[in-house]
Structure formats: C-alpha cells, structure tokens
Amino acid sequence: MKKAVLFIVCIIVLATLAINIPNIIAQAKWYAFERHKDVKTVTKTVTLHDLADLLHDQRTLAGELQDSSTYSLIGDQVRKGLDKASRHEVFLQQHDEIDSIKIRLPITSYKDKNKTIEFISGEGEVVETYRKE
C-alpha cells in the first residue's frame, strides 16, 4: 500500500516538474540576465522618424521575446523600456515645430549562447531640442 502511494506521489511530482519546465527555464534566463546585463547611456540626435524606427524595432523584439517561453521575462523588461521611451515619440508628434531632439538613453545589452539582446531600457532624458527652420 505504501509503495502505491509513494508511486502516485512521485508521478504527481514528476508531472508538476514537467509542466513547469518552461517557467523554470525562463526564471533561469531572467536570473542570468539580471547578473550579466550591461547598461550604458548613449546620446543620440533623432528625428521623429528615427525614433519611430528605433521603437518599432524594439516593439518587434519585445513581441518575439514575450512569445518565447525561454525569454518571456526579459521580453517584459523590453516592453517596459519601450513604454517609457515612447513618451519622447509622443512629444515629437505633438510638437510639429521641433525637428529633432538630442536624447540620452539607457541601453541595456545582454548576450548568452543563443541570443544577443539590446534595447532601450528607460525613458532617458532630452538634452536639447532643435526647431525647424
């Protein structure tokens, strides 16, 4: 009787582990990301079109990572950086008289065996604005 109960408990434990393998892998990638990411500050002068292109690329990356079971937690972080940085795009859309802005952005990069990930990880700071002539 004890062997049957032990067998059933083992099957339940193995099934639970098998179901949670993607979550375990995602947590391991997140831990590695947090320990090995490199954050730099980059200053760029961008127009609305340039910024829209950068944010589009990051939107695509965020979607790709969030759809992946391995990198989904990192994808959430990429999406948060995108949301913060998109405030500058809205600013440029609302101010037609501004041609471009000089902006200081935090860029996070992470590389593991399978993938290199680089993205804008925060709102950044507008250093200068350039008006249309």
Side-chain angles (χ1 to χ4, degrees), residues 31-98:
Y31 178 75
F33 169 76
E34 283 296 316
R35 289 182 47 93
H36 300 290
K37 68 183 177 183
D38 182 32
V39 181
K40 297 177 186 169
T41 301
V42 175
T43 303
K44 292 183 171 192
T45 301
V46 293
T47 63
L48 174 60
H49 180 71
D50 297 334
L51 188 57
D53 286 346
L54 282 170
L55 296 177
H56 175 73
D57 292 344
Q58 185 156 336
R59 197 171 287 111
T60 303
L61 175 64
E64 174 189 319
L65 294 174
Q66 286 176 318
D67 290 344
S68 162
S69 61
T70 304
Y71 295 100
S72 61
L73 296 175
I74 299 171
D76 293 342
Q77 193 71 24
V78 173
R79 180 75 63 187
K80 287 178 188 175
L82 171 66
D83 291 344
K84 290 178 182 177
S86 65
R87 293 179 182 143
H88 300 296
E89 181 181 30
V90 171
F91 173 78
L92 285 171
Q93 289 171 341
Q94 292 175 346
H95 296 86
D96 291 335
E97 71 277 4
I98 297 176

